[in-house]
Amino acid sequence: MAAPGCVLHRALMRSRPGPNKVSSSSPVVCREFLFVVDLQRYSRDQGSSVYFPQAVLSGEDLYDITLTDGDCRLRVTLDPGLNRQVERNVLQPGSMVRNTSFSPTMAAQLPECPGASTERDSYRLLKLEVVTEAEEGGARGPDLDWDSLPWFGSSEPAAGPVVPLRASRSVFLPLWNNVDYSGDVWRETPPPDGGVEDEEEEEEEEEGRRPAVSVSELRDSFLSGRGGVARGTIQHQLIVRIVNKSHLMYYGRTDRNCECPYKAVLEVCDQTGSVCVVLWNSMCVSWYRCLRPGDIISLRQYRVKPQYHGERGDMEVSVNSRNPAARVSVLPESSVPPERRPPAPAYSFYSSKELLDCRHGAMCDVIGLLTFSGRPERIRSKDGKGAELLEYRWLRLEDGASDQPIMVKLFSTSQPEVHEKLHPLAVVVCTRLRCVRAASCFFLTNSVYTQVYCTGLSQHSEMSYRRLRPVRQFLQWLRRQDDEEVLSRALIGGFFMYPPPPVSMETYMKDRRGEPGFLRGAELQREVERLCYRERHTFCIQATVTMVTYSRRGEEDRSLFWADRASSLSSSSRSPRPSPSPSLPSTPRSFRPALSSSSSSSSVSPMSPSSSVSQSAPRPLDHRPGRSSKRKLLPPETPKKRHPSVTMQQEQSNKTVILFEASMEFLENTNVDVDADDDDDDDEDVSSFVTAPLLPILPPVAEETLPMLYDHGHKEEQAAAIAMGGTAPPGRFESAVQGYYTLRLRALSDGVAVDAIFLPHYLSSSPSPLPPHSNTWASILSHGAFSSHTPPPSPADLIAMAAQLTNQRLVCLLEVCHLGGATTEVVLSRAFHLTDL
């Protein structure tokens, strides 16, 4: 019981009726700070709508939230109208909130589900205000063990696992996907087998495990209809080996009540054949984490049914916790007689060289050294519904067989503890991947049965593939590698795009089957507003470039920029007149250009042409129409501008290389004097640019956009920073890319301004080689990168050439990813001249 003086007690006691009074349903407001301890997601069911009579239930998800005032805890349900705060990662565990509005819920409305109580305080959270870091003013959550705090009133969950408050579900979903498991209820060890006859088990142990029925016998009986195989429960023991294991499949629906709507498929075999075993519902909770490919299992009290997927007319073995309650056990290898022992799983390992000739759609296994681990992102499912968000990340593996790395687009595999360990310098094995061939490159991605194994979890030593020849050859190559050399190219997180888009408008149009899908500026804004946290999408607009800036991370006050003066003056001359485009609402917070370091990586602002110029156009030096202005921005006290550097990480100064072995000391590269450039060249740059008192108002690049140099000494911290829901403190880790360009695009359709990050030097190192080009603005934009066959132009030279973009109509491909809160990343991947059509 909470102390009477605590914040929640004072606020919520006002909602309780006094003696001989009817309970009030009026909301109560707590204006003081509260802290979010936990957020739990689940899908609603048939009865969920009764708890939200005034709400429009447009989505499938509900959220239970645990709050604390530092004295007690309270678990409530988030009103569906606030779901968007979670979906865009504004409201998250650790958030500070205030002005929270609670509505008491009658006890009779509590759901009938395991663990629910009919005599407890229940509330619905109607409104809240998330406090930003700037508004916190030093207020922080108390440094307490949240689990030790008492629950408010009678809101303590009933004994047993915590269950959802507003649906008849027994498990929660992960916050960001439907494939992984979530919560301690998912067992890591087999459950106790309480229904086993002791005498029968003792006899089997003495005689050795011998199956009473084989897969082929089951199939023959099923196809012929003998022995009631197709109708009843099979008591005969079936001993099989797991060959492949699928990811978890969630099939919960809002129009059906099912406590644990999960299934998983195991491909198993014995010496007579193979069959699919389907784990249903709570059997997944009890057994999914315990079983792995290569295990020998015993099955009893199961059903044989027609196979739902696969060959027509075949069968599958159904394993459920009721009707009947199946009996499953994992058998030691030695307990099964050799003549009855199922064959070991077969692997098909491909090296990077062999993958070059791998056909589209082929299944393969790979092993490699991880040198790039991308940030987790999400895309919409292409199953026709488009509602589910699929989480994925890019991996780059090297195996020494060729210069071509192995690129893997890895979706969730129901192995969250393994995915957390996917940081550079890990040895990774991916099984049952599918080869995808694009126009000029290929990559590997998931099948239903993909599994991932990596160092750090003692998995490799337990798997049978460790004795295979391709694995031993890889290990021999690995032992010859130098830690420092591998670390010099190891990256983690940041924007990444693969395969690269086409380099010509004609090819792009062919890939889109003649439908480029151009958006107006206002339409682009609406589409970006719909994105959820870490959701990635490609958009296409027609635009002109009105400004180009070059900045270095953390030094945005020392920038190079070019602005199209003709565009600025023409816009200014139009400013007194009404805009021809439709009236747009005020700029949403997520698109408003900010001046602080917490602002977005780029902005999508529905600004009119005149307001765009008045806010962000630099002061002109030459007021003659039709002239372009070029500025170099210097602090007044700087006597000489340092030549900006765009070199990659091997050439940057003060780089620290961490050896793979923890016992090795840090190595520090010698300083590179970036001021030691040729004086004549520097003088030529200064002659083209002058000091300007005004800076373009552009948001700095987001921490999540630029890839980080891998820091082995802080690998867990880096992995947590790029994980879903994680953030990297500004400047905490060293970026592999220091400089970046920002292009201000003006939509031809309605004049909406879009600020997009452009990374030609980073994309030049793409695993897929690009054809050579002339390094003009037109060729750089169409290829998305500098030519790798000639030295790239310096930032000063490229800004000096930006006048080539004046009045050029472009088709721009934008890679947009919502990074949470008010931060949206917009990266320009390609821009084609309309004359290329």
Side-chain angles (χ1 to χ4, degrees), residues 477-550:
W477 170 82
L478 183 65
R479 295 187 187 102
R480 298 193 300 268
Q481 301 310 298
D482 179 72
D483 294 333
E484 182 178 350
E485 195 276 330
V486 175
L487 281 163
S488 67
R489 62 178 186 273
L491 303 176
I492 184 170
F495 169 82
F496 184 77
M497 179 179 58
Y498 194 85
V503 298
S504 71
M505 184 68 181
E506 180 182 5
T507 306
Y508 172 72
M509 293 291 285
K510 287 181 179 179
D511 291 347
R512 296 294 299 264
R513 298 180 180 179
E515 295 291 336
F518 294 139
L519 295 181
R520 295 168 57 89
E523 292 172 335
L524 173 63
Q525 177 193 342
R526 288 192 294 270
E527 291 297 322
V528 172
E529 285 175 335
R530 294 191 182 104
L531 295 179
C532 294
Y533 174 60
R534 291 277 182 95
E535 182 180 354
R536 175 88 169 261
H537 205 288
T538 303
F539 298 106
C540 184
I541 65 169
Q542 298 182 66
T544 60
V545 178
T546 62
M547 183 183 295
V548 182
T549 68
Y550 173 80

Side-chain angles (χ1 to χ4, degrees), residues 234-382:
I234 309 299
Q235 300 287 348
H236 301 302
Q237 179 178 229
L238 178 66
I239 295 180
V240 290
R241 189 189 297 273
I242 300 174
V243 178
N244 290 304
K245 172 183 172 183
S246 78
H247 62 72
L248 287 169
M249 304 174 194
Y250 184 78
Y251 64 91
R253 293 173 52 177
T254 59
D255 59 347
R256 293 184 181 179
N257 291 340
C258 181
E259 290 182 7
C260 187
Y262 277 101
K263 78 170 186 176
V265 181
L266 307 175
E267 284 190 347
V268 302
C269 72
D270 64 6
Q271 292 184 338
T272 67
S274 61
V275 70
C276 286
V277 173
V278 183
L279 303 178
W280 289 99
N281 305 327
S282 60
M283 290 298 290
C284 292
V285 177
S286 300
W287 282 99
Y288 183 82
R289 295 187 66 185
C290 310
L291 303 177
R292 62 186 179 186
D295 285 346
I296 298 178
I297 59 173
S298 167
L299 300 175
R300 292 188 182 199
Q301 295 181 201
Y302 50 88
R303 290 183 182 272
V304 178
K305 298 181 178 181
Q307 189 170 9
Y308 185 71
H309 295 292
E311 295 183 10
R312 186 176 181 180
D314 201 359
M315 68 171 189
E316 66 183 24
V317 175
S318 179
V319 178
N320 215 323
S321 59
R322 64 181 72 173
N323 301 323
R327 288 167 48 193
V328 182
S329 58
V330 179
L331 306 181
E333 189 94 8
S334 59
S335 68
V336 181
E339 67 275 9
R340 298 283 188 173
R341 195 171 296 165
Y347 294 95
S348 181
F349 277 94
Y350 281 66
S351 68
S352 59
K353 183 177 180 179
E354 293 167 334
L355 285 171
L356 297 174
D357 300 321
C358 186
R359 62 178 175 83
H360 177 78
M363 292 293 176
C364 57
D365 309 318
V366 295
I367 183 172
L369 177 65
L370 186 59
T371 57
F372 169 72
S373 179
R375 71 187 182 198
E377 296 177 343
R378 301 192 292 169
I379 56 175
R380 292 282 168 182
S381 169
K382 295 182 180 179

Side-chain angles (χ1 to χ4, degrees), residues 415-596:
Q415 298 172 285
E417 72 288 346
V418 178
H419 285 241
E420 290 175 0
K421 298 293 185 181
L422 290 176
H423 38 64
L425 275 67
V427 174
V428 177
V429 170
C430 298
T431 62
R432 301 292 290 172
L433 292 172
R434 179 171 53 88
C435 181
V436 178
R437 288 219 163 263
S440 59
C441 59
F442 71 93
F443 62 91
L444 306 178
T445 192
N446 295 52
S447 68
V448 173
Y449 297 104
T450 296
Q451 295 282 285
V452 185
Y453 310 95
C454 75
T455 49
L457 295 171
S458 301
Q459 293 180 313
H460 295 309
S461 61
E462 301 172 352
M463 303 301 294
S464 60
Y465 58 68
R466 70 184 187 277
R467 295 185 292 267
L468 299 179
R469 180 180 177 85
V471 175
R472 288 188 281 109
Q473 288 178 335
F474 166 78
L475 294 177
Q476 292 174 0
W477 170 82
L478 183 65
R479 295 187 187 102
R480 298 193 300 268
Q481 301 310 298
D482 179 72
D483 294 333
E484 182 178 350
E485 195 276 330
V486 175
L487 281 163
S488 67
R489 62 178 186 273
L491 303 176
I492 184 170
F495 169 82
F496 184 77
M497 179 179 58
Y498 194 85
V503 298
S504 71
M505 184 68 181
E506 180 182 5
T507 306
Y508 172 72
M509 293 291 285
K510 287 181 179 179
D511 291 347
R512 296 294 299 264
R513 298 180 180 179
E515 295 291 336
F518 294 139
L519 295 181
R520 295 168 57 89
E523 292 172 335
L524 173 63
Q525 177 193 342
R526 288 192 294 270
E527 291 297 322
V528 172
E529 285 175 335
R530 294 191 182 104
L531 295 179
C532 294
Y533 174 60
R534 291 277 182 95
E535 182 180 354
R536 175 88 169 261
H537 205 288
T538 303
F539 298 106
C540 184
I541 65 169
Q542 298 182 66
T544 60
V545 178
T546 62
M547 183 183 295
V548 182
T549 68
Y550 173 80
S551 307
R552 288 178 62 83
R553 180 174 175 265
E555 300 177 9
E556 280 76 14
D557 59 336
R558 299 161 58 91
S559 302
L560 300 169
F561 75 86
W562 164 87
D564 183 0
R565 286 298 307 148
S567 175
S568 301
L569 289 176
S570 62
S571 299
S572 299
S573 65
R574 292 196 306 267
S575 60
R577 305 175 192 163
S579 174
S581 59
S583 176
L584 296 175
S586 59
T587 306
R589 179 178 181 184
S590 57
F591 305 121
R592 184 178 296 122
L595 296 178
S596 66

Side-chain angles (χ1 to χ4, degrees), residues 30-44:
C30 176
R31 304 196 182 278
E32 299 184 57
F33 289 132
L34 298 175
F35 305 94
V36 179
V37 177
D38 197 10
L39 272 169
Q40 295 169 305
R41 181 175 74 102
Y42 53 97
S43 61
R44 57 188 177 91

Side-chain angles (χ1 to χ4, degrees), residues 13 32 34 42 54 110 112 128 132 160 164 197 211 249 272 295 314 453 554 726 742 799:
M13 287 301 293
E32 299 184 57
L34 298 175
Y42 53 97
Q54 307 297 327
L110 286 170
E112 297 297 330
L128 58 82
T132 64
E197 296 84 353
M249 304 174 194
T272 67
D295 285 346
D314 201 359
Y453 310 95
T742 304
I799 294 295

Side-chain angles (χ1 to χ4, degrees), residues 36-64:
V36 179
V37 177
D38 197 10
L39 272 169
Q40 295 169 305
R41 181 175 74 102
Y42 53 97
S43 61
R44 57 188 177 91
D45 61 10
Q46 286 179 308
S48 298
S49 58
V50 70
Y51 309 117
F52 310 99
Q54 307 297 327
V56 178
L57 300 179
S58 57
E60 298 183 354
D61 292 336
L62 295 176
Y63 296 91
D64 291 343

